[in-house]
Amino acid sequence: MPKNLVEIKTLKKYFHLGKDVTVKSVDDISFTIRSGETFGLVGESGSGKSTLGKTIVGLHQASGGEIIYNGKKVAELSKEEQRVANKEMQIIFQDPHASLNPRMRVGDIIAEGIDAYKLLKGKQRERRIYELLERVGLLPEHAKRYPHEFSGGQRQRIGIARALAVEPKFIVADEPISALDVSIQAQVVNLMEDLAKTEGLTYLFIAHDLGMVKHISDRIGVMYLGKMMELSDSDDMFQNPLHPYTQALLSAIPKTNPKMAKRERIMLQGDPPSPTDPPSGCRFRTRCPLAMEVCAKVEPSFKEVEPNHWTACHLYDA
Amino acid sequence: MEHLLKVDQLKVNFNTYGGEVKAVRDVSFHVDQGEIVAIVGESGSGKSVTVQSIMGLIPSPPGMIKGGSIQFEGKDLLTLSKRQMRKIKGSKIGMIFQDPMTSLNPTMKVGKQIAEALITHRNFSKANAKNKAVEMLKLVGIPNPEARFQQYPHEYSGGMRQRAMIAIALACSPDLLIADEPTTALDVTIQAQVLELMKELQKKMNTAIILITHDLGVVAETAQRVLVMYGGVVVESASVMELFENPRHPYTWGLLQSIPDTDTSEKKRLVPIAGSPPDLFSPPKGCPFAPRCKYAMDICLEEMPTDYDISDGHTAKCWLNDERAPHPETFARLGETENA
């Protein structure tokens, strides 16, 4: 069994929106990310998947629970250890237009981490920038240009080069391909797969495109309104989804084969409830076609129902 | 049978500081009564500009319709006055947009926005319009329609707003509905609901639909015919079944290969289309896709291909379909082996 690089234990992230309004974006979530794997995180808007990713890399302060990185609790690290951990955990953002400073040259954007950690200077720094540009499929002469001179796919490559600059071990990719055209998405996904191999990276890959998540991930977690609903190997998840929400989510993916398009589909009724006022018991019960009485009263616990296949659903209560 | 809508040789340019952009180049297609035609393409392919021209929504300046005609029920929409267009818009042709939040009026109750169309185009009295609006809300599956009639758009969720947009667009029972990426901003489970609704209404009201999307899955599930656009040009046009079974343009091959197959558990590497979308300021002299095409021949860079008829209703704008060219099926098979 591979070693766990990141362990999340009962992690909570609450946002207080006013006196009595609290959004529990991430509510009591526990799971582990193994060294070298790509862990896919899916969920619809408002499920808390991005908040979870940002909390793990420290862009949000956790409201409770703990994050264990490389065997050590992040909250209890010394200042120097914290610096190293921060360097090793990087993030790639969704919008390649908003996440690059339009007034900085691409070379300086990529070297931001190098400069902040005072890793390299002068000629060496320059050489490292060129090397990173080539690594992500751009050219050394691009270092002198500004972000607006690049297309969306190229900008996402710049974002990836910036994350790679400090030699990270763990990268949270927060919807890295959602803003890109279909033909460019495959380019970026292939690049990320190659880098995982050559640089020995571990990814938390957040997306709502289930097809791409299945393609790139070893294991997948499904979130709904701040809760983890199901977690398993990615093939297992697609062949044998246990939670009614996962089943509906998978059946909602439009099939790119017109012959298969005429199939039975689980149609969910209504919209997801407001995260400020989630339903009692199981949060999915208001849209669940199989909801029982117990679902309104008791919150289902997240447990291992089959080997390496976890879910939070009363249907699987022994 | 006469076509409901016939677009012929449409050319649309935009004047910008960077120069003249040829957004739509000689686009021709037709839509028949009651059918769903999808237009797929990536950003900058000209798909939105094409339908905006139909609706007379091209801002001028900078936009300019340089040529062609758009025949709708026997009239050329491009020659109509603004007044005449206003009679057709909303009453005979309805449109829904990608982002329901920015296309609904935030200061006006949703019900009133539906009733407005009926009062303007169908001379409904206020009371009748209200009744019909409530009926429309019910039809598009909004629960508790009387109460929802009185609410503002911000009180609706994303999926409900798109339903409300559909209610507005269909209130006057138009013959043609144009849907510009109607589900792109929605979550998959909500997208499934909205697509199902559109199909259902199309059957019930026999409305023809032009569906713009970049998602081939949405095309496969919803449309009967499909146009593939690239760089302002329709590169392939076919029935949905034909397009997925027998695609004849390398760009279509590329699109189909760059989507992961969720039905197998074997890990295939994706086959992306190399390069970036075309620069519309200086489009290549020949085929717009030639610079990214791995099968490009000398002629592709020099001359725009003609439309080759592959079978009834299936055309592909690619020189590989010429009898003098190497056989494209060989290439398609090559593509598959590369894929494995």
Side-chain angles (χ1 to χ4, degrees):
Chain A
M1 187 105 140
K3 205 183 103 195
N4 295 328
L5 185 65
V6 183
E7 280 175 68
I8 313 295
K9 285 194 180 154
T10 62
L11 190 70
K12 299 181 185 75
K13 176 62 200 173
Y14 298 168
F15 294 98
H16 301 283
L17 299 183
K19 215 168 58 183
D20 300 315
V21 187
T22 303
V23 178
K24 298 179 174 177
S25 286
V26 174
D27 198 11
D28 205 2
I29 284 183
S30 305
F31 69 106
T32 55
I33 300 170
R34 300 169 187 160
S35 292
E37 81 170 338
T38 296
F39 188 98
L41 195 56
V42 293
E44 300 182 274
S45 33
S47 63
K49 56 191 191 303
S50 284
T51 307
L52 176 57
K54 286 179 179 164
T55 310
I56 293 173
V57 293
L59 290 180
H60 288 310
Q61 177 116 45
S63 312
E66 53 195 32
I67 301 158
I68 297 165
Y69 175 71
N70 223 346
K72 284 183 183 164
K73 290 181 189 171
V74 170
E76 293 170 6
L77 294 178
S78 71
K79 246 190 166 168
E80 184 48 37
E81 287 173 320
Q82 182 95 56
R83 246 173 70 87
V84 174
N86 282 345
K87 184 171 90 69
E88 289 181 0
M89 291 199 259
Q90 291 294 316
I91 184 164
I92 302 166
F93 297 98
Q94 171 176 6
D95 186 346
H97 297 264
S99 56
L100 303 178
N101 186 338
R103 298 176 60 170
M104 277 169 78
R105 288 179 198 274
V106 166
D108 295 325
I109 290 176
I110 293 175
E112 257 190 305
I114 297 174
D115 298 341
Y117 287 99
K118 302 195 176 71
L119 298 177
L120 299 168
K121 269 198 269 184
K123 270 269 173 285
Q124 275 179 312
R125 173 181 178 274
E126 203 173 309
R127 220 175 299 137
R128 175 79 177 140
I129 292 170
Y130 295 161
E131 186 190 302
L132 285 162
L133 281 167
E134 281 176 355
R135 185 73 51 85
V136 298
L138 297 169
L139 300 169
E141 58 256 39
H142 288 150
K144 292 273 175 282
R145 300 204 195 153
Y146 288 95
H148 76 264
E149 298 174 65
F150 295 88
S151 67
Q154 287 173 319
R155 283 183 219 212
Q156 204 53 287
R157 288 170 191 270
I158 296 168
I160 294 172
R162 170 173 64 183
L164 289 179
V166 291
E167 294 177 342
K169 293 200 165 63
F170 174 62
I171 292 183
V172 172
D174 187 5
E175 305 242 14
I177 54 167
S178 307
L180 305 177
D181 276 321
V182 184
S183 71
I184 308 297
Q185 289 187 351
Q187 290 180 6
V188 172
V189 165
N190 279 354
L191 171 66
M192 287 183 64
E193 285 183 325
D194 292 343
L195 291 170
K197 279 191 210 110
T198 56
E199 316 287 312
L201 297 172
T202 302
Y203 290 124
L204 177 64
F205 188 91
I206 303 171
H208 61 259
D209 179 341
L210 293 146
M212 275 300 181
V213 170
K214 172 173 191 275
H215 175 81
I216 198 170
S217 308
D218 300 303
R219 290 191 303 150
I220 296 178
V222 179
M223 283 183 75
Y224 186 79
L225 285 183
K227 287 280 182 191
M228 191 73 90
M229 303 308 249
E230 186 160 358
L231 193 163
S232 80
D233 283 349
S234 74
D235 289 337
D236 200 16
M237 179 81 76
F238 271 73
Q239 275 155 21
N240 177 29
L242 295 178
H243 200 287
Y245 176 61
T246 316
Q247 291 167 358
L249 199 62
L250 295 181
S251 88
I253 314 173
K255 284 269 185 294
T256 45
N257 181 343
K259 280 192 180 150
M260 309 243 324
K262 309 266 176 289
R263 70 200 189 283
E264 272 305 299
R265 167 178 276 173
I266 309 163
M267 202 55 89
L268 286 185
Q269 297 305 311
D271 302 300
S274 162
T276 55
D277 184 22
S280 64
C282 172
R283 296 189 180 186
F284 182 58
R285 70 171 166 88
T286 50
R287 298 171 79 201
C288 182
L290 304 172
M292 305 173 288
E293 226 170 275
V294 63
C295 303
K297 293 184 194 131
V298 186
E299 194 179 316
S301 60
F302 190 61
K303 53 191 179 293
E304 195 167 3
V305 176
E306 289 170 13
N308 293 315
H309 199 143
W310 297 64
T311 191
C313 178
H314 285 304
L315 287 175
Y316 303 95
D317 286 346
Chain B
M1 195 180 83
E2 194 154 306
H3 301 307
L4 176 69
L5 175 85
K6 190 166 189 310
V7 176
D8 197 32
Q9 302 284 313
L10 182 70
K11 296 179 192 64
V12 185
N13 286 8
F14 286 89
N15 283 315
T16 68
Y17 289 113
E20 198 167 57
V21 174
K22 294 179 175 157
V24 170
R25 296 190 278 164
D26 295 310
V27 164
S28 304
F29 67 98
H30 69 270
V31 179
D32 287 326
Q33 192 97 45
E35 71 171 342
I36 304 184
V37 176
I39 305 182
V40 275
E42 302 178 278
S43 31
S45 64
K47 56 191 193 306
S48 288
V49 174
T50 302
V51 294
Q52 281 165 8
S53 317
I54 299 171
M55 285 297 269
L57 292 177
I58 300 292
S60 173
M64 227 184 329
I65 294 183
K66 278 286 204 177
S69 68
I70 300 174
Q71 297 283 337
F72 177 75
E73 295 185 337
K75 280 178 242 162
D76 186 353
L77 298 184
L78 296 179
T79 61
L80 296 185
S81 68
K82 274 200 171 149
R83 228 186 120 109
Q84 289 168 311
M85 257 322 269
R86 222 169 8 236
K87 278 199 181 146
I88 289 177
K89 273 196 267 185
S91 112
K92 298 207 155 178
I93 307 179
M95 182 153 182
I96 49 181
F97 300 89
Q98 179 180 145
D99 185 351
M101 196 58 210
T102 50
S103 34
L104 289 169
N105 184 341
T107 67
M108 201 168 158
K109 287 174 183 163
V110 174
K112 208 175 162 195
Q113 298 189 46
I114 303 172
E116 195 186 28
L118 292 160
I119 295 168
T120 318
H121 293 297
R122 292 283 184 267
N123 292 322
F124 272 53
S125 70
K126 265 195 172 167
N128 279 344
K130 184 182 169 177
N131 288 338
K132 174 84 181 175
V134 171
E135 202 182 296
M136 286 307 296
L137 283 173
K138 206 168 164 187
L139 184 70
V140 296
I142 290 181
N144 207 355
E146 280 89 5
R148 288 292 183 180
F149 180 92
Q150 300 290 350
Q151 287 185 332
Y152 290 94
H154 76 267
E155 297 172 88
Y156 278 50
S157 70
M160 276 206 289
R161 279 182 213 135
Q162 201 55 291
R163 284 167 189 268
M165 277 300 297
I166 295 174
I168 295 172
L170 293 180
C172 298
S173 326
D175 299 317
L176 177 65
L177 175 69
I178 297 175
D180 190 353
E181 305 245 12
T183 59
T184 306
L186 306 176
D187 284 319
V188 272
T189 58
I190 309 295
Q191 162 171 293
Q193 290 174 5
V194 170
L195 290 178
E196 205 52 44
L197 171 70
M198 284 177 59
K199 276 197 276 189
E200 206 183 290
L201 294 175
Q202 178 249 352
K203 272 200 205 106
K204 222 182 268 178
M205 307 171 83
N206 200 27
T207 309
I209 299 178
I210 300 179
L211 176 70
I212 296 192
T213 178
H214 60 265
D215 185 338
L216 283 169
V218 171
V219 173
E221 298 232 333
T222 323
Q224 280 115 40
R225 280 196 302 124
V226 55
L227 311 172
V228 181
M229 286 190 73
Y230 187 84
V233 173
V234 176
V235 293
E236 187 160 7
S237 156
S239 73
V240 166
M241 218 35 116
E242 177 82 5
L243 188 94
F244 282 88
E245 301 253 294
N246 183 24
R248 296 297 283 264
H249 196 287
Y251 177 61
T252 315
W253 298 342
L255 278 185
L256 289 169
Q257 284 180 343
S258 48
I259 329 170
D261 181 2
T262 50
D263 291 322
T264 66
S265 52
E266 53 181 308
K267 294 270 174 198
K268 277 193 218 160
R269 197 173 157 80
L270 297 177
V271 185
I273 303 174
S276 312
D279 177 5
L280 294 174
F281 286 114
S282 52
K285 207 159 84 186
C287 170
F289 187 61
R292 297 174 75 187
C293 180
K294 46 186 167 183
Y295 313 113
M297 304 174 287
D298 289 344
I299 189 171
C300 302
L301 301 167
E302 290 302 319
E303 208 176 313
M304 178 75 90
T306 48
D307 283 313
Y308 286 92
D309 287 316
I310 309 297
S311 60
D312 190 30
H314 184 181
T315 61
K317 212 187 225 356
C318 175
W319 288 122
L320 288 177
N321 294 294
D322 192 284
E323 54 187 18
R324 286 163 291 176
H327 226 252
E329 282 92 335
T330 345
F331 282 120
R333 246 176 270 124
L334 275 179
E336 274 163 31
T337 46
E338 270 177 38
N339 200 359

